[in-house]
Amino acid sequence: SMGTVLAIMAVHGRAGLAGFDAHYQDPAVAAFRDKVRMLADAEVEAACPARWIAGAEVETVDGRGLLARAAGA
């Protein structure tokens, strides 16, 4: 799942197939994964398949909100 990939990247600095198998049950990965939510985005849905758009919104432990978006061809 995307939550697992994001969690492995956050905890271990990178993610790949070997890392997925090795770290899937890591308690720190599981704790991070439990905080990830995937939400539909109308702009992303409308653009597909002509454009691929991705976005991430993060709420930090001190309550700040960070937002990033990327668009591909």
Side-chain angles (χ1 to χ4, degrees), residues 1-72:
S1 74
M2 184 56 71
T4 300
V5 173
L6 293 172
I8 292 171
M9 290 173 57
V11 173
H12 296 284
R14 59 187 242 181
L17 290 178
F20 190 91
D21 290 338
H23 302 300
Y24 180 79
Q25 294 187 19
D26 179 332
V29 169
F32 191 100
R33 177 177 51 235
D34 291 345
K35 297 176 183 178
V36 174
R37 292 181 299 140
M38 301 291 291
L39 303 172
D41 183 304
E43 180 185 359
V44 172
E45 297 294 328
C48 209
R51 286 184 28 222
W52 292 93
I53 302 170
E57 186 173 348
V58 176
E59 183 179 331
T60 63
V61 293
D62 63 5
R64 291 178 296 134
L66 308 173
L67 177 64
R69 293 183 75 82

